[in-house]
Amino acid sequence: MGMSWTTSLDKAIWYAAHQSEFYDLTDLAVYVTTLPVAEIYCRLDHYDHDFIAYPRQAWRVDVPVEEYRLDRPR
């Protein structure tokens, strides 16, 4: 379950919408997790605070389809 993570739910929904728009994906999902610092491989902050992590658990967030849009606040 290695994924890129952000601390912002709005940003995670925007990223999913962005991937859908540019790669024609249809099964969009956003996941949340809590994890200790030791499970974070690196932190990037070029545009946002993004993390590369390998969490042991994650939970899918029930996001209404109409919320996956690119005009979300950034």
Side-chain angles (χ1 to χ4, degrees):
M1 191 164 215
M3 301 178 187
S4 294
W5 296 89
T6 178
T7 56
S8 167
L9 179 58
D10 278 330
K11 181 54 76 173
I13 295 169
W14 183 89
Y15 278 132
H18 180 267
Q19 294 300 312
S20 174
E21 180 75 20
F22 292 98
Y23 299 105
D24 200 30
L25 302 176
T26 57
D27 188 21
L28 305 181
V30 171
Y31 290 82
V32 297
T33 191
T34 57
L35 55 121
V37 172
E39 291 183 16
I40 298 173
Y41 291 113
C42 70
R43 176 178 170 255
L44 308 167
D45 61 359
H46 183 68
Y47 294 111
D48 306 302
H49 295 284
D50 299 318
F51 302 86
I52 306 299
Y54 191 75
R56 294 182 185 163
Q57 293 182 294
W59 304 271
R60 187 173 176 151
V61 177
D62 186 17
V63 178
V65 172
E66 62 272 8
E67 291 301 317
Y68 290 106
R69 61 185 201 276
L70 294 176
D71 65 345
R72 294 190 69 77
R74 292 183 66 190

